[in-house]
Amino acid sequence: MSSKKLHLVSLGCTKNLVDSEVMLGRLREYEVHDDPTIADVIIVNTCGFIDAAKEESINTILNLHEIRKEGSLLVVSGCLTERYREQLQEELPEVDIFTGVGDYEQIDRLIAEKRNAFSPEVYLANENSPRVITGSNTHAYIKMAEGCNQTCSFCAIPSFKGKLHSRTLESIEKEVKALVAQGFYEFSFISQDSSSYGRDMGLKDGLIDIIKTVEQIAGVKVARILYLYPSTTTFELIDTIANSPIFETYYDMPIQQIDDTILKLMRRGFGEQKTIELLNHMKSKKDAFIRTSIIAGHPGESDEAFDRVCEFMRTFQFDRFNVFFYSNEETTPAFTMKPVPEEVIEDRVEVLEEIAHETTTASLKKMIGKTIKVILEGESDEHEYILSARPTLWAKDIDGDILINDTSDLEILFGAMYEVNVTELAGDRLLGTLIKRLP
């Protein structure tokens, strides 16, 4: 008898992906399939952060319903269903099972019993959670905390994810050790506000404690931290990351704006001057890679404030930055503020994206001629004889790859680390030559 088939779509952020991997862990008796038309169970783990993400989630649900086979179960979980549970249950009769952000570890039971569930507690995976790591045999995301204590004017996340809730240091250490034993050697540590990790447990600078703990775990070769928050990032933390033999000098700190007036309206709890001091301290570190994000069109964003952020983004030269179209979320303080016209926001997004393209190109050009460490990920999308590699300094699935067009006749082992000489920039991708395999 053939086994039951499962198709899972994980939308939104990498924090969501960890929860999707927990669901896969609970549903190991299912055969996971890329083809939804043959699946007995289809799960969509939704994102409910901003309008574009909500739209993508709804479209994905409806498209999968259109093509699913008769008798299959359509299950919808995650942030969107948590945030709009009554409304969606009323408006989406196509869905068989609804669940929110508290029941990932009992997904097998919900499917067996064909029932909805919305636990009052937000789920946070720990070292005992069943989990099937996806997308890599060498890299894993480690979720350190759920929720957020910040009160940003534009962000609805605390309204459905609650206050900061951190895992214990011991729990994180055990999970990393268990994954190392399975062959994983690269880890990205994530949460909504990573630099606040441990504050709910009375830790002063918990992220430094994590760095020191992970450095002692044999078998961890590469690590990085994602999503720092300006007012909870210290100079000491920046130094600890830069001085670590394991953690990459990688700083992902979304600043959202730089103009003082807008930062106050955004309730970012930190002003322009201190934010720039932090960024300059990061930039002073050898081979630092700095990523951020900017929201265009927050209510109150004048032409002057927009010009200010454009000027700053041009001159600071981030290695990468994302641009977000301001999304007016009904449970946020900014919802009642006077909006910036949509066509103005569209123009501003376009201008910022052009600057992002320029600064990313400048960052890539700086790498030409350098010898760097990479992880060989597989064949590239360009050609089967051109390989795809990711510098260990770059975050997986976020910062792109470089193309290897000369292997120097070395033995090729996907998932292994190599030293590479970066030779040129072709279009928007770097080319490199393998020098040697690293232990």
Side-chain angles (χ1 to χ4, degrees), residues 162-195:
K163 291 284 189 191
L164 178 70
H165 170 49
S166 303
R167 287 170 65 180
T168 65
L169 201 54
E170 185 187 22
S171 167
I172 291 169
E173 182 182 16
K174 282 180 179 170
E175 184 180 15
V176 173
K177 282 181 173 173
L179 288 168
V180 167
Q182 292 173 43
F184 292 89
Y185 66 76
E186 181 191 12
F187 299 91
S188 295
F189 291 83
I190 56 172
S191 57
Q192 196 59 44
D193 167 13
S194 293
S195 41

Side-chain angles (χ1 to χ4, degrees), residues 121-352:
E121 294 290 309
V122 176
Y123 174 77
L124 176 58
N126 62 33
E127 76 278 16
N128 300 315
S129 304
R131 194 174 153 204
V132 175
I133 309 291
T134 58
S136 177
N137 296 322
T138 56
H139 171 273
Y141 291 101
I142 304 291
K143 196 193 279 197
M144 302 178 288
E146 264 296 2
C148 184
N149 287 350
Q150 310 300 343
T151 55
C152 302
S153 63
F154 52 84
C155 183
I157 289 172
S159 71
F160 55 89
K161 281 286 183 104
K163 291 284 189 191
L164 178 70
H165 170 49
S166 303
R167 287 170 65 180
T168 65
L169 201 54
E170 185 187 22
S171 167
I172 291 169
E173 182 182 16
K174 282 180 179 170
E175 184 180 15
V176 173
K177 282 181 173 173
L179 288 168
V180 167
Q182 292 173 43
F184 292 89
Y185 66 76
E186 181 191 12
F187 299 91
S188 295
F189 291 83
I190 56 172
S191 57
Q192 196 59 44
D193 167 13
S194 293
S195 41
S196 286
Y197 165 78
R199 289 187 173 205
D200 53 318
M201 303 186 300
L203 298 178
K204 181 180 164 287
D205 218 334
L207 208 43
I208 291 179
D209 297 338
I210 284 185
I211 292 167
K212 297 298 181 196
T213 301
V214 173
E215 284 173 353
Q216 301 306 312
I217 301 173
V220 179
K221 295 180 186 176
V222 182
R224 71 185 58 77
I225 291 157
L226 303 180
Y227 323 125
L228 303 173
Y229 189 87
S231 62
T232 52
T233 297
T234 62
F235 289 107
E236 190 188 352
L237 174 60
I238 293 168
D239 293 344
T240 305
I241 292 170
N243 297 332
S244 174
I246 297 293
F247 281 78
E248 296 292 331
T249 310
Y250 185 98
Y251 303 107
D252 182 349
M253 187 175 78
I255 60 170
Q256 313 301 10
Q257 240 286 354
I258 200 64
D259 181 80
D260 249 340
T261 319
I262 308 304
L263 288 174
K264 284 191 177 75
L265 273 177
M266 285 181 163
R267 303 186 181 186
R268 291 294 283 171
F270 222 47
E272 175 178 341
Q273 188 189 338
K274 284 188 174 176
T275 302
I276 291 173
E277 280 172 17
L278 278 181
L279 289 168
N280 284 337
H281 196 62
M282 292 172 183
K283 205 173 192 177
S284 71
K285 303 301 169 189
K286 188 177 184 291
D287 296 328
F289 185 99
I290 309 175
R291 166 182 269 285
T292 195
S293 60
I294 295 292
I295 294 172
H298 185 280
E301 185 182 75
S302 62
D303 289 343
E304 292 75 23
F306 177 67
D307 290 344
R308 174 79 193 93
V309 79
C310 288
E311 178 201 344
F312 181 73
M313 300 314 280
R314 276 196 194 95
T315 54
F316 186 82
Q317 296 273 305
F318 286 90
D319 294 286
R320 303 282 189 281
F321 76 87
N322 287 76
V323 184
F324 289 96
F325 189 112
Y326 170 75
S327 179
N328 208 18
E329 299 299 316
E330 64 272 23
T331 54
T332 65
F335 186 66
T336 53
M337 297 179 191
K338 189 184 175 190
V340 173
E342 276 203 17
E343 59 275 17
V344 173
I345 302 178
E346 280 168 16
D347 290 345
R348 289 178 180 178
V349 167
E350 213 172 291
V351 171
L352 282 167

